[in-house]
Amino acid sequence: MEGFILRIGLASDHGGYSLKNELKEFIEKELNHDVKDFGTYGLESVDYPEYAKLAAEAVKNKECDYAILVCGTGIGISIAANKVKGIRAANCHDCFSAEATRLHNDANVLTLGERVVGQGLAKKIVSTFLNTEFEGGRHTNRIKQISEIENKS
């Protein structure tokens, strides 16, 4: 997606608040994309499902192209985001997984764990995720099958 300005939704709970803010600056100033921050806006304890839902619904409704969600491990917020129909959230802790989930799964939400990855690696993962396009081909049928499961549940 290089050369295109994307609209990226960001959200976190208190456990991902600091990394979310670092990523916001990185995405806006270094990757030159627009950011919509869905919160949280402080370190006081909050429940991540609320914030995952806000950002995931923005992707579903095409208000944002992608979302990046951060909690302590990235796991809980990923589970919550994946409950929104049409969302394919992937919890990634390395660049290979971030690239593969875009190429093969057409993931539209990236989740990260602030307590798992450092800021430098998180920035590389985000950059990889946002700059990798869906490969299509044989993977398109798999995405269709995932949607069918989702629609029948």
Side-chain angles (χ1 to χ4, degrees), residues 6-80:
L6 299 171
R7 178 97 167 143
I8 309 301
L10 281 182
S12 72
D13 68 356
H14 56 285
Y17 174 74
S18 296
L19 182 57
K20 178 194 71 147
N21 288 339
E22 286 292 323
L23 292 174
K24 181 177 181 178
E25 184 173 328
F26 172 71
I27 292 166
E28 289 176 334
K29 294 185 177 164
E30 293 186 43
L31 299 181
N32 299 310
H33 296 305
D34 294 330
V35 170
K36 178 158 176 61
D37 189 341
F38 290 94
T40 190
Y41 305 108
L43 292 171
E44 49 284 335
S45 183
V46 296
D47 297 323
Y48 58 80
E50 174 184 349
Y51 299 94
K53 182 180 179 207
L54 290 170
E57 285 185 341
V59 173
K60 174 187 169 188
N61 297 330
K62 301 193 184 315
E63 297 165 35
C64 293
D65 299 298
Y66 301 99
I68 299 168
L69 312 178
V70 188
C71 68
T73 63
I75 298 168
I77 209 160
S78 178
I79 292 169

Side-chain angles (χ1 to χ4, degrees), residues 1-6 31 33 127-133:
M1 292 5 122
E2 285 187 63
F4 293 98
I5 296 177
L6 299 171
L31 299 181
H33 296 305
S127 183
T128 299
F129 183 86
L130 295 178
N131 287 309
T132 302
E133 293 189 39

Side-chain angles (χ1 to χ4, degrees), residues 60-108:
K60 174 187 169 188
N61 297 330
K62 301 193 184 315
E63 297 165 35
C64 293
D65 299 298
Y66 301 99
I68 299 168
L69 312 178
V70 188
C71 68
T73 63
I75 298 168
I77 209 160
S78 178
I79 292 169
N82 275 314
K83 299 301 180 188
V84 175
K85 188 175 181 174
I87 296 303
R88 290 176 305 283
N91 185 23
C92 297
H93 298 134
D94 59 76
C95 293
F96 177 81
S97 297
E99 180 180 39
T101 200
R102 285 290 307 127
L103 287 170
H104 299 172
N105 310 124
D106 197 18
N108 50 14

